[in-house]
Amino acid sequence: MITVCGILHPFVADNPRHFLCYTACEYQDLNGCATLQMEVVEMENGKRKTGIEVIGDVPWGTHLCQLYRTKKDLAEILVPYFEAGLRSNEYCMWVTSEPLGVEQAKRALRRSVRNLDDYLEKGQIEILDASEWYTKSGRFESERVLNGWVEKEKEALSRGFEGLRLTGNTFWLEDAEWRDFAEYESEVDRVIGNYRMLAICSYSLDRCGASEVIDVVNNHQCAIVLREGKWERIESAYRRRSERELRESRGKWRALVESVPDGIITVDREGTILFANRTMSGRTPEDVIGASIYSYIPHSNKDVAKRVLESVFKSGKSRRYEGVAVLPEVGEFWYEYSIAPVRSNGRVESAVYVIRDINQRKKAEEALREKSNEIQERVKELNCLYGISNLTTGKIVSLEDILKRAVELIPPAWQYPEITCARIIFNSQEFRTDKYKETKWKQNSEIVVHGVKVGTLEVAYLEDRPQSYEGPFLNEERVLINAIAQRLGGIIERIQAEEAMRVSESKLRDYLENALDGIYTIDSRGKFIYMNSAVASILGYSKEEMTGKSFVELGLVRRDYISKGMKVLKGIIGGERSRAEEFVLIRKDGSHVYVEISSFPIGRGDNTEIIAVMRDVTERKQTEEALRQSERYYHALLDSSVDFIIILNEDGSVRYESPSVQRMLGYTPEERIGKSAFEFVHSDDVENLTATFAKFLKNPGGTASVELRFLHRDGSYRVFEGAGRNLLNDPVIRGIIANVRDVTERKQAEEALRESEEKLRYMFESISDGVAVTNLEGVITEINSRALEMYGAGTKEEVLGKSAFEFIAPQERERALQNMQRTLE
């Protein structure tokens, strides 16, 4: 059911044209309203059938307006209106706009006019969008539109039609164009009587305020509104000038104006209140009539209020402004004042105030400003974390360089960056901003690596600021400093791990190059990938000559050993681990060399590599220490991958991801937003992640860390460490924010190092010669099982830490010492 109430109040009794019209509308169901009954017959006595029951017959030159809420309202009036025009041989133009589009208008009309297509085909009716008529040139031009109607009327008559029936919907109209359009409507109302035209102008109540509705009704002969489910006709007092009708309607208008949610008052030149409705925050008209409007305005705003009212009386133009009113019961309240002049006999006699309560809007605006400030603070914090993460992506040569740059990124992320300074203490070193000094307004967080404190991060204010969560510091700044300290700990851990890896690789390389045994790797086709200097020395070829070639291509294997070599190679590729096998190889100079080769596979199938130890047993059956084997390829260090930040909704769907996710997973942030993060998690990790996530949701403000595998765009899985914080209750974030780091290469490196150490240990122990490793002072630091047997020791503990010279015959010690010194030189 649709209910529309029209409210008019005459402000000057002898000039009933000046009134206020306010409309309100509410509805239940578009399909719940009965259609209007209509009857279309030939016109009599020079009048035209409108098809609208509440209007009836009208003469040419009638200018009406319809105040509507919904497209159903529009159809109920305009469909019968145009049906009557079509059957009366009138040329019809329907210029429509939201909420009833062109196609919707055609469908609505077609339900009543079954042969609408015939009328469209012969050109008796046009249905246009407002942009094709009112704003055809890109803006509203009143003269062009008015001339357009006149031309359409002439065209209709020239084609044999009775006249022009039209309607226009003003939903497209913006506030800035209202005054021009109102003047256009006034001109239409003035001249339409000179033409064979009928016009209905449709105005949306949702887009019209009280003052706008005044203009609408003033510029039309009558208005059509819906009241208690029935369409009613509201006559303009200016048209009738009937005291009897004015007196009859005044009671209705006064009752209706009291229901207006806005405050409405009229005042004279001195600001004395002549009339007031009952929406003045509980004040009755009797309380305020006769009082000065300035008594409700704070003293600081009275001068402005007086100047505005004076300008309305002087210029005769409406004014609008925002200000504060004072009410005894509630104190100061924000209001929007719309002031319009009321004329009598061409002279401004009074002014009408339409006062709208905007206190809630002002509070909302203030809340929005506060939220914007909060968001800006969070963006600063995220930029800081992102910047620190990016420090590991550049060509920074040392940890010191990273810490120097990190400390400079911290002050801009705090609430008062201009007075913020920072310091990082690590391993007795200090990294500080230029203006750093210790003050009593500071906060700090420990930097921890592998569970051990290695340093401290300090942030201080140089001046006092208002108290907050932790002294002058916000709760979010406590969270941020902890996050930065955690991030720095991770960077230090990684840099130290990389340095340890470099040292380990250097040692391995030294072991391999100085081993007496030859060590090499070949691929599944038998081609050399790597060989140490001992291999080149044993075979008489340079490394460059051997790399990329096979034993067969180089002619290394004596013919009677080729079959045996192929059998051993096939077995190794199949996963067998060979025992020491003897072969006779042919050196580059054609001489033969007897070698003992032990080999085993790495990997499977076409990717199999074979690592082997070759011992020259021609010159000696027992070789000296074979130190360490090495793989052909050392795992590259991680490329200082950038962490990425992700924000999840409560259901686990991705709301935001930083751009670095594309570099790490191959997906753009847009591809993953809105999708569940669980979709990209390895199936073996989903159960653990689901349990952790469910527990995490129950701990607002809590933190959690996980390690899991994410699906890369290329189909592979990457291992990530994630540290998250539950900020679902945070009014700004309202989600779970996590920092995610790619640790795939670190995990692979750890596994590779473990495997490499295992292989080298096996080689070290499998060498048939006794091998002992000493430091520069000759103290034994490592020894294999064969050497223990040779020394006659039962366990390593009996030998380690002792001088190697204790196990050398006294008469040989001097010569052994000289040999060692020559080797070191």
Side-chain angles (χ1 to χ4, degrees):
M1 180 175 183
I2 300 175
T3 303
V4 178
C5 50
I7 302 170
L8 293 88
H9 174 75
F11 294 113
V12 182
D14 62 350
N15 191 354
R17 179 174 176 82
H18 296 281
F19 55 83
L20 173 72
C21 177
Y22 185 88
T23 59
C25 175
E26 64 183 31
Y27 63 90
Q28 293 179 346
D29 188 347
L30 284 174
N31 298 320
C33 295
T35 58
L36 293 176
Q37 298 297 318
M38 58 187 176
E39 179 181 6
V40 182
V41 297
E42 290 296 320
M43 291 304 195
E44 297 179 358
N45 302 324
K47 290 189 176 183
R48 315 300 295 177
K49 283 288 186 181
T50 64
I52 305 171
E53 185 178 1
V54 70
I55 298 297
D57 300 346
V58 297
W60 289 117
T62 299
H63 188 205
L64 309 175
C65 69
Q66 178 195 10
L67 303 173
Y68 71 92
R69 277 285 190 184
T70 69
K71 59 185 177 183
K72 182 85 166 63
D73 297 348
L74 286 169
E76 283 190 350
I77 294 299
L78 299 180
V79 167
Y81 171 71
F82 281 114
E83 182 179 11
L86 291 172
R87 296 186 180 182
S88 299
N89 193 36
E90 298 173 10
Y91 184 79
C92 300
M93 282 193 66
W94 188 344
V95 181
T96 188
S97 181
E98 292 181 40
L100 190 66
V102 171
E103 293 303 320
Q104 292 174 313
K106 288 180 180 179
R107 285 197 296 271
L109 188 55
R110 190 174 280 112
R111 284 193 287 269
S112 293
V113 183
R114 301 297 181 183
N115 60 337
L116 176 62
D117 292 336
D118 295 337
Y119 289 112
L120 289 168
E121 184 176 352
K122 75 175 184 178
Q124 187 177 345
I125 182 170
E126 289 182 73
I127 302 178
L128 308 174
D129 185 79
S131 62
E132 298 176 279
W133 184 257
Y134 289 113
T135 58
K136 187 175 182 180
S137 63
R139 62 188 181 89
F140 174 71
E141 297 173 318
S142 60
E143 184 176 354
R144 178 185 59 78
V145 175
L146 185 58
N147 290 336
W149 294 128
V150 174
E151 290 299 319
K152 285 292 182 181
E153 186 251 11
K154 291 180 180 179
E155 178 185 348
L157 296 177
S158 68
R159 293 176 58 191
F161 295 112
E162 296 293 325
L164 173 64
R165 180 175 296 226
L166 64 96
T167 185
N169 189 351
T170 62
F171 193 91
W172 55 272
L173 192 59
E174 300 295 337
D175 290 344
E177 300 167 320
W178 179 264
R179 181 49 52 195
D180 289 341
F181 196 83
E183 293 174 359
Y184 153 80
E185 286 276 42
S186 176
E187 183 65 11
V188 170
D189 194 53
R190 185 181 67 82
V191 304
I192 195 171
N194 300 325
Y195 302 93
R196 295 175 69 84
M197 293 185 191
L198 297 180
I200 294 181
C201 301
S202 301
Y203 288 83
S204 171
L205 294 172
D206 292 334
R207 295 177 66 86
C208 293
S211 60
E212 285 84 0
V213 176
I214 291 175
D215 292 335
V216 171
V217 177
N218 277 347
N219 291 327
H220 297 82
Q221 294 168 14
C222 70
I224 307 170
V225 297
L226 195 63
R227 175 178 170 80
E228 297 181 355
K230 295 175 60 179
W231 288 101
E232 291 187 0
R233 167 178 176 166
I234 299 179
E235 294 288 340
S236 169
Y238 178 79
R239 301 292 177 183
R240 300 238 177 188
R241 295 185 179 275
S242 171
E243 290 293 335
R244 180 182 61 79
E245 291 182 1
L246 180 59
R247 286 193 297 271
E248 290 176 355
S249 64
R250 182 173 295 174
K252 179 172 66 175
W253 305 147
R254 180 175 295 276
L256 293 175
V257 79
E258 297 299 341
S259 66
V260 177
D262 294 339
I264 302 173
I265 63 175
T266 57
V267 300
D268 61 15
R269 289 180 177 273
E270 286 70 37
T272 302
I273 299 174
L274 307 176
F275 166 83
N277 68 349
R278 295 182 179 273
T279 57
M280 296 289 289
S281 298
R283 312 289 289 179
T284 65
E286 292 75 13
D287 292 335
V288 298
I289 291 176
S292 172
I293 191 172
Y294 303 122
S295 63
Y296 297 99
I297 297 175
H299 180 75
S300 58
N301 293 343
K302 284 184 180 179
D303 289 342
V304 173
K306 287 180 180 180
R307 286 197 299 270
V308 171
L309 183 59
E310 289 171 358
S311 71
V312 171
F313 275 95
K314 183 176 181 179
S315 67
K317 296 181 180 179
S318 299
R319 293 288 301 275
R320 178 178 294 180
Y321 75 102
E322 294 178 357
V324 177
V326 180
L327 299 174
E329 296 84 356
V330 294
E332 292 188 355
F333 250 65
W334 276 95
Y335 287 96
E336 180 183 73
Y337 299 92
S338 295
I339 311 172
V342 180
R343 294 179 175 83
S344 177
N345 296 324
R347 184 173 182 271
V348 178
E349 296 290 348
S350 58
V352 57
Y353 279 78
V354 178
I355 306 172
R356 178 165 296 170
D357 182 353
I358 59 171
N359 209 53
Q360 291 301 318
R361 191 191 82 192
K362 286 293 185 180
K363 290 181 179 179
E365 291 173 353
E366 179 61 27
L368 180 60
R369 281 192 293 271
E370 292 177 358
K371 292 300 179 186
S372 297
N373 291 336
E374 289 182 15
I375 291 173
Q376 291 174 1
E377 291 298 317
R378 300 298 82 75
V379 169
K380 286 163 51 179
E381 295 166 4
L382 291 174
N383 285 338
C384 175
L385 291 172
Y386 183 73
I388 291 175
S389 296
N390 274 339
L391 292 178
T392 59
T393 64
K395 295 181 179 179
I396 300 177
V397 296
S398 67
L399 178 60
E400 287 72 18
D401 291 329
I402 293 176
L403 296 179
K404 286 178 182 178
R405 294 177 61 182
V407 76
E408 297 296 337
L409 294 173
I410 294 173
W414 258 248
Q415 186 179 11
Y416 306 106
E418 67 281 357
I419 61 165
T420 302
C421 56
R423 175 174 66 171
I424 297 173
I425 302 174
F426 172 67
N427 284 349
S428 74
Q429 290 181 288
E430 285 192 8
F431 307 90
R432 57 173 67 191
T433 55
D434 291 339
K435 59 181 179 180
Y436 180 84
K437 70 176 181 179
E438 292 193 28
T439 70
K440 60 181 179 180
W441 309 291
K442 69 176 182 178
Q443 57 181 174
N444 58 65
S445 184
E446 294 182 351
I447 301 173
V448 178
V449 175
H450 297 304
V452 178
K453 177 183 175 181
V454 298
T456 304
L457 169 61
E458 294 180 358
V459 176
Y461 283 160
L462 299 176
E463 302 173 6
D464 192 11
R465 284 296 182 267
Q467 292 295 299
S468 184
Y469 174 79
E470 182 183 335
F473 299 101
L474 302 172
N475 179 34
E476 291 79 5
E477 290 169 338
R478 164 47 58 190
V479 174
L480 179 60
I481 192 174
N482 289 343
I484 295 173
Q486 181 183 8
R487 186 69 54 84
L488 292 174
I491 291 174
I492 293 169
E493 177 183 339
R494 177 182 174 182
I495 296 296
Q496 290 177 341
E498 291 173 350
E499 180 60 28
M501 180 71 76
R502 284 191 291 270
V503 171
S504 177
E505 289 177 348
S506 177
K507 288 181 178 179
L508 284 173
R509 192 175 293 109
D510 289 341
Y511 281 140
L512 292 174
E513 288 301 318
N514 291 285
L516 296 178
D517 287 342
I519 301 173
Y520 63 88
T521 57
I522 58 175
D523 61 20
S524 60
R525 296 173 296 173
K527 293 182 181 293
F528 282 101
I529 298 173
Y530 165 80
M531 74 291 300
N532 66 355
S533 298
V535 172
S537 176
I538 291 170
L539 299 177
Y541 289 90
S542 68
K543 293 182 181 181
E544 291 75 14
E545 290 174 314
M546 298 176 65
T547 301
K549 295 181 180 179
S550 68
F551 276 79
V552 175
E553 289 173 325
L554 291 170
L556 294 175
V557 184
R558 201 170 70 181
R559 183 171 299 178
D560 54 338
Y561 279 91
I562 292 177
S563 177
K564 178 181 178 181
M566 295 300 293
K567 182 179 178 180
V568 172
L569 179 62
K570 183 177 180 181
I572 294 173
I573 292 175
E576 296 179 5
R577 184 167 183 169
S578 78
R579 55 186 173 81
E581 300 283 354
E582 288 189 0
F583 292 89
V584 177
L585 303 182
I586 303 173
R587 294 168 54 87
K588 183 178 180 180
D589 61 7
S591 62
H592 291 184
V593 58
Y594 291 85
V595 296
E596 186 179 78
I597 300 176
S598 299
S599 55
F600 54 90
I602 301 174
R604 290 188 179 276
D606 293 339
N607 294 323
T608 300
E609 292 182 8
I610 298 171
I611 185 167
V613 178
M614 175 187 295
R615 176 172 297 165
D616 183 353
V617 295
T618 303
E619 298 178 356
R620 58 186 183 277
K621 294 296 182 180
Q622 296 180 340
T623 62
E624 294 186 10
E625 174 186 9
L627 297 176
R628 302 263 181 172
Q629 63 177 348
S630 178
E631 298 174 324
R632 170 67 178 93
Y633 300 109
Y634 297 101
H635 290 291
L637 297 177
L638 294 175
D639 253 348
S640 300
S641 59
V642 181
D643 296 355
F644 73 89
I645 296 170
I646 183 172
I647 300 178
L648 302 179
N649 295 314
E650 189 172 4
D651 62 358
S653 61
V654 178
R655 188 199 310 161
Y656 167 81
E657 283 184 324
S658 59
S660 55
V661 69
Q662 185 170 7
R663 190 179 307 168
M664 302 174 73
L665 284 175
Y667 301 98
T668 64
E670 293 76 14
E671 289 179 278
R672 285 164 50 97
I673 289 176
K675 295 182 179 179
S676 172
F678 294 82
E679 293 180 19
F680 302 90
V681 176
H682 193 283
S683 58
D684 293 345
D685 298 337
V686 170
E687 182 177 354
N688 178 54
L689 178 60
T690 301
T692 302
F693 192 75
K695 183 178 180 181
F696 192 37
L697 290 177
K698 298 177 182 178
N699 184 21
T703 60
S705 298
V706 294
E707 181 178 296
L708 61 148
R709 289 164 287 178
F710 271 124
L711 178 65
H712 194 278
R713 190 183 191 92
D714 62 9
S716 65
Y717 281 92
R718 307 286 293 178
V719 183
F720 288 83
E721 285 181 348
R725 186 175 183 86
N726 184 349
L727 298 178
L728 286 168
N729 292 341
D730 188 299
V732 177
I733 304 299
R734 294 183 179 177
I736 294 174
I737 185 168
N739 184 70
V740 185
R741 179 183 303 165
D742 187 344
V743 297
T744 304
E745 295 184 8
R746 190 188 77 193
K747 290 292 183 180
Q748 292 173 347
E750 291 172 353
E751 179 62 21
L753 182 60
R754 185 190 65 75
E755 292 178 357
S756 178
E757 289 176 349
E758 181 181 341
K759 295 170 187 175
L760 293 173
R761 173 61 59 187
Y762 168 79
M763 290 178 60
F764 186 70
E765 292 295 336
S766 64
I767 295 173
S768 58
D769 293 337
V771 179
V773 180
T774 71
N775 60 18
L776 297 179
E777 286 74 32
V779 177
I780 298 173
T781 59
E782 186 56 81
I783 188 168
N784 68 355
S785 298
R786 178 59 181 151
L788 285 176
E789 294 176 6
M790 295 170 66
Y791 286 169
T795 63
K796 290 185 178 182
E797 287 71 17
E798 297 177 35
V799 177
L800 296 179
K802 294 183 179 181
S803 173
F805 297 103
E806 294 181 21
F807 300 94
I808 299 175
Q811 63 274 19
E812 297 293 331
R813 290 177 182 173
E814 181 63 29
R815 188 163 61 89
L817 179 60
Q818 292 174 356
N819 289 338
M820 180 178 176
Q821 290 174 343
R822 282 197 299 270
T823 300
L824 292 177
E825 291 172 357

PDB file of all heavy atoms in Angstrom, residues 413-428:
ATOM      1  N   ALA A 413      56.483   6.252  10.724  1.00  0.00           N
ATOM      2  CA  ALA A 413      55.343   5.381  11.012  1.00  0.00           C
ATOM      3  C   ALA A 413      54.683   5.716  12.333  1.00  0.00           C
ATOM      4  O   ALA A 413      53.611   5.184  12.632  1.00  0.00           O
ATOM      5  CB  ALA A 413      55.794   3.914  11.018  1.00  0.00           C
ATOM      6  N   TRP A 414      55.277   6.610  13.138  1.00  0.00           N
ATOM      7  CA  TRP A 414      54.680   6.931  14.439  1.00  0.00           C
ATOM      8  C   TRP A 414      53.739   8.137  14.315  1.00  0.00           C
ATOM      9  O   TRP A 414      53.753   8.866  13.321  1.00  0.00           O
ATOM     10  CB  TRP A 414      55.792   7.185  15.452  1.00  0.00           C
ATOM     11  CG  TRP A 414      55.990   5.988  16.361  1.00  0.00           C
ATOM     12  CD1 TRP A 414      55.724   5.911  17.679  1.00  0.00           C
ATOM     13  CD2 TRP A 414      56.492   4.686  15.988  1.00  0.00           C
ATOM     14  NE1 TRP A 414      56.006   4.652  18.164  1.00  0.00           N
ATOM     15  CE2 TRP A 414      56.472   3.880  17.150  1.00  0.00           C
ATOM     16  CE3 TRP A 414      56.915   4.129  14.796  1.00  0.00           C
ATOM     17  CZ2 TRP A 414      56.884   2.552  17.150  1.00  0.00           C
ATOM     18  CZ3 TRP A 414      57.329   2.801  14.792  1.00  0.00           C
ATOM     19  CH2 TRP A 414      57.306   2.022  15.945  1.00  0.00           C
ATOM     20  N   GLN A 415      52.935   8.335  15.339  1.00  0.00           N
ATOM     21  CA  GLN A 415      51.875   9.349  15.289  1.00  0.00           C
ATOM     22  C   GLN A 415      52.451  10.765  15.134  1.00  0.00           C
ATOM     23  O   GLN A 415      51.858  11.605  14.469  1.00  0.00           O
ATOM     24  CB  GLN A 415      51.027   9.262  16.566  1.00  0.00           C
ATOM     25  CG  GLN A 415      49.808  10.167  16.555  1.00  0.00           C
ATOM     26  CD  GLN A 415      48.977  10.033  17.824  1.00  0.00           C
ATOM     27  OE1 GLN A 415      49.417   9.420  18.792  1.00  0.00           O
ATOM     28  NE2 GLN A 415      47.792  10.584  17.829  1.00  0.00           N
ATOM     29  N   TYR A 416      53.599  11.026  15.741  1.00  0.00           N
ATOM     30  CA  TYR A 416      54.224  12.349  15.663  1.00  0.00           C
ATOM     31  C   TYR A 416      55.629  12.186  15.063  1.00  0.00           C
ATOM     32  O   TYR A 416      56.645  12.232  15.783  1.00  0.00           O
ATOM     33  CB  TYR A 416      54.316  12.981  17.056  1.00  0.00           C
ATOM     34  CG  TYR A 416      52.987  13.042  17.776  1.00  0.00           C
ATOM     35  CD1 TYR A 416      52.706  12.169  18.834  1.00  0.00           C
ATOM     36  CD2 TYR A 416      52.008  13.953  17.397  1.00  0.00           C
ATOM     37  CE1 TYR A 416      51.494  12.223  19.503  1.00  0.00           C
ATOM     38  CE2 TYR A 416      50.793  14.014  18.063  1.00  0.00           C
ATOM     39  CZ  TYR A 416      50.536  13.139  19.112  1.00  0.00           C
ATOM     40  OH  TYR A 416      49.333  13.196  19.760  1.00  0.00           O
ATOM     41  N   PRO A 417      55.727  11.985  13.757  1.00  0.00           N
ATOM     42  CA  PRO A 417      57.036  11.683  13.144  1.00  0.00           C
ATOM     43  C   PRO A 417      58.052  12.810  13.302  1.00  0.00           C
ATOM     44  O   PRO A 417      59.248  12.549  13.339  1.00  0.00           O
ATOM     45  CB  PRO A 417      56.682  11.452  11.674  1.00  0.00           C
ATOM     46  CG  PRO A 417      55.361  12.122  11.458  1.00  0.00           C
ATOM     47  CD  PRO A 417      54.638  12.003  12.762  1.00  0.00           C
ATOM     48  N   GLU A 418      57.566  14.057  13.397  1.00  0.00           N
ATOM     49  CA  GLU A 418      58.505  15.177  13.454  1.00  0.00           C
ATOM     50  C   GLU A 418      59.304  15.207  14.759  1.00  0.00           C
ATOM     51  O   GLU A 418      60.363  15.849  14.829  1.00  0.00           O
ATOM     52  CB  GLU A 418      57.750  16.498  13.268  1.00  0.00           C
ATOM     53  CG  GLU A 418      56.794  16.869  14.394  1.00  0.00           C
ATOM     54  CD  GLU A 418      55.463  16.131  14.338  1.00  0.00           C
ATOM     55  OE1 GLU A 418      55.266  15.352  13.374  1.00  0.00           O
ATOM     56  OE2 GLU A 418      54.618  16.343  15.239  1.00  0.00           O
ATOM     57  N   ILE A 419      58.814  14.542  15.816  1.00  0.00           N
ATOM     58  CA  ILE A 419      59.550  14.520  17.090  1.00  0.00           C
ATOM     59  C   ILE A 419      59.926  13.087  17.467  1.00  0.00           C
ATOM     60  O   ILE A 419      60.232  12.816  18.630  1.00  0.00           O
ATOM     61  CB  ILE A 419      58.726  15.164  18.225  1.00  0.00           C
ATOM     62  CG1 ILE A 419      57.410  14.385  18.433  1.00  0.00           C
ATOM     63  CG2 ILE A 419      58.458  16.624  17.945  1.00  0.00           C
ATOM     64  CD1 ILE A 419      56.730  14.734  19.752  1.00  0.00           C
ATOM     65  N   THR A 420      59.897  12.185  16.509  1.00  0.00           N
ATOM     66  CA  THR A 420      60.205  10.774  16.785  1.00  0.00           C
ATOM     67  C   THR A 420      61.641  10.461  16.381  1.00  0.00           C
ATOM     68  O   THR A 420      62.118  10.891  15.327  1.00  0.00           O
ATOM     69  CB  THR A 420      59.257   9.851  16.004  1.00  0.00           C
ATOM     70  OG1 THR A 420      57.905  10.147  16.369  1.00  0.00           O
ATOM     71  CG2 THR A 420      59.533   8.390  16.332  1.00  0.00           C
ATOM     72  N   CYS A 421      62.345   9.719  17.226  1.00  0.00           N
ATOM     73  CA  CYS A 421      63.684   9.242  16.919  1.00  0.00           C
ATOM     74  C   CYS A 421      63.751   7.766  17.277  1.00  0.00           C
ATOM     75  O   CYS A 421      62.919   7.255  18.017  1.00  0.00           O
ATOM     76  CB  CYS A 421      64.754  10.044  17.659  1.00  0.00           C
ATOM     77  SG  CYS A 421      64.542  10.058  19.452  1.00  0.00           S
ATOM     78  N   ALA A 422      64.747   7.073  16.754  1.00  0.00           N
ATOM     79  CA  ALA A 422      64.821   5.628  16.957  1.00  0.00           C
ATOM     80  C   ALA A 422      66.269   5.182  17.053  1.00  0.00           C
ATOM     81  O   ALA A 422      67.192   5.839  16.546  1.00  0.00           O
ATOM     82  CB  ALA A 422      64.103   4.898  15.817  1.00  0.00           C
ATOM     83  N   ARG A 423      66.444   4.004  17.715  1.00  0.00           N
ATOM     84  CA  ARG A 423      67.779   3.430  17.867  1.00  0.00           C
ATOM     85  C   ARG A 423      67.661   1.912  17.863  1.00  0.00           C
ATOM     86  O   ARG A 423      66.743   1.348  18.455  1.00  0.00           O
ATOM     87  CB  ARG A 423      68.426   3.901  19.169  1.00  0.00           C
ATOM     88  CG  ARG A 423      69.781   3.246  19.448  1.00  0.00           C
ATOM     89  CD  ARG A 423      70.461   3.837  20.651  1.00  0.00           C
ATOM     90  NE  ARG A 423      69.748   3.570  21.892  1.00  0.00           N
ATOM     91  CZ  ARG A 423      70.232   3.836  23.115  1.00  0.00           C
ATOM     92  NH1 ARG A 423      71.426   4.403  23.238  1.00  0.00           N
ATOM     93  NH2 ARG A 423      69.520   3.568  24.181  1.00  0.00           N
ATOM     94  N   ILE A 424      68.615   1.255  17.168  1.00  0.00           N
ATOM     95  CA  ILE A 424      68.723  -0.200  17.180  1.00  0.00           C
ATOM     96  C   ILE A 424      70.068  -0.563  17.793  1.00  0.00           C
ATOM     97  O   ILE A 424      71.116  -0.069  17.355  1.00  0.00           O
ATOM     98  CB  ILE A 424      68.636  -0.776  15.757  1.00  0.00           C
ATOM     99  CG1 ILE A 424      67.262  -0.465  15.140  1.00  0.00           C
ATOM    100  CG2 ILE A 424      68.857  -2.283  15.776  1.00  0.00           C
ATOM    101  CD1 ILE A 424      67.158  -0.863  13.672  1.00  0.00           C
ATOM    102  N   ILE A 425      70.025  -1.400  18.824  1.00  0.00           N
ATOM    103  CA  ILE A 425      71.253  -1.891  19.470  1.00  0.00           C
ATOM    104  C   ILE A 425      71.380  -3.360  19.118  1.00  0.00           C
ATOM    105  O   ILE A 425      70.475  -4.162  19.372  1.00  0.00           O
ATOM    106  CB  ILE A 425      71.191  -1.707  20.994  1.00  0.00           C
ATOM    107  CG1 ILE A 425      70.984  -0.223  21.352  1.00  0.00           C
ATOM    108  CG2 ILE A 425      72.456  -2.248  21.649  1.00  0.00           C
ATOM    109  CD1 ILE A 425      70.775   0.018  22.833  1.00  0.00           C
ATOM    110  N   PHE A 426      72.522  -3.735  18.513  1.00  0.00           N
ATOM    111  CA  PHE A 426      72.743  -5.123  18.106  1.00  0.00           C
ATOM    112  C   PHE A 426      74.213  -5.469  18.259  1.00  0.00           C
ATOM    113  O   PHE A 426      75.089  -4.816  17.673  1.00  0.00           O
ATOM    114  CB  PHE A 426      72.310  -5.321  16.643  1.00  0.00           C
ATOM    115  CG  PHE A 426      72.675  -6.660  16.077  1.00  0.00           C
ATOM    116  CD1 PHE A 426      72.084  -7.818  16.560  1.00  0.00           C
ATOM    117  CD2 PHE A 426      73.625  -6.766  15.075  1.00  0.00           C
ATOM    118  CE1 PHE A 426      72.424  -9.053  16.043  1.00  0.00           C
ATOM    119  CE2 PHE A 426      73.979  -7.999  14.554  1.00  0.00           C
ATOM    120  CZ  PHE A 426      73.381  -9.157  15.035  1.00  0.00           C
ATOM    121  N   ASN A 427      74.474  -6.486  19.092  1.00  0.00           N
ATOM    122  CA  ASN A 427      75.854  -6.959  19.290  1.00  0.00           C
ATOM    123  C   ASN A 427      76.815  -5.821  19.610  1.00  0.00           C
ATOM    124  O   ASN A 427      77.831  -5.630  18.942  1.00  0.00           O
ATOM    125  CB  ASN A 427      76.349  -7.730  18.065  1.00  0.00           C
ATOM    126  CG  ASN A 427      75.754  -9.129  18.000  1.00  0.00           C
ATOM    127  OD1 ASN A 427      75.135  -9.591  18.958  1.00  0.00           O
ATOM    128  ND2 ASN A 427      75.943  -9.795  16.874  1.00  0.00           N
ATOM    129  N   SER A 428      76.430  -5.019  20.575  1.00  0.00           N
ATOM    130  CA  SER A 428      77.245  -3.884  21.052  1.00  0.00           C
ATOM    131  C   SER A 428      77.368  -2.759  20.030  1.00  0.00           C
ATOM    132  O   SER A 428      78.083  -1.789  20.254  1.00  0.00           O
ATOM    133  CB  SER A 428      78.638  -4.353  21.479  1.00  0.00           C
ATOM    134  OG  SER A 428      79.443  -4.675  20.353  1.00  0.00           O
TER     135      SER A 428
END
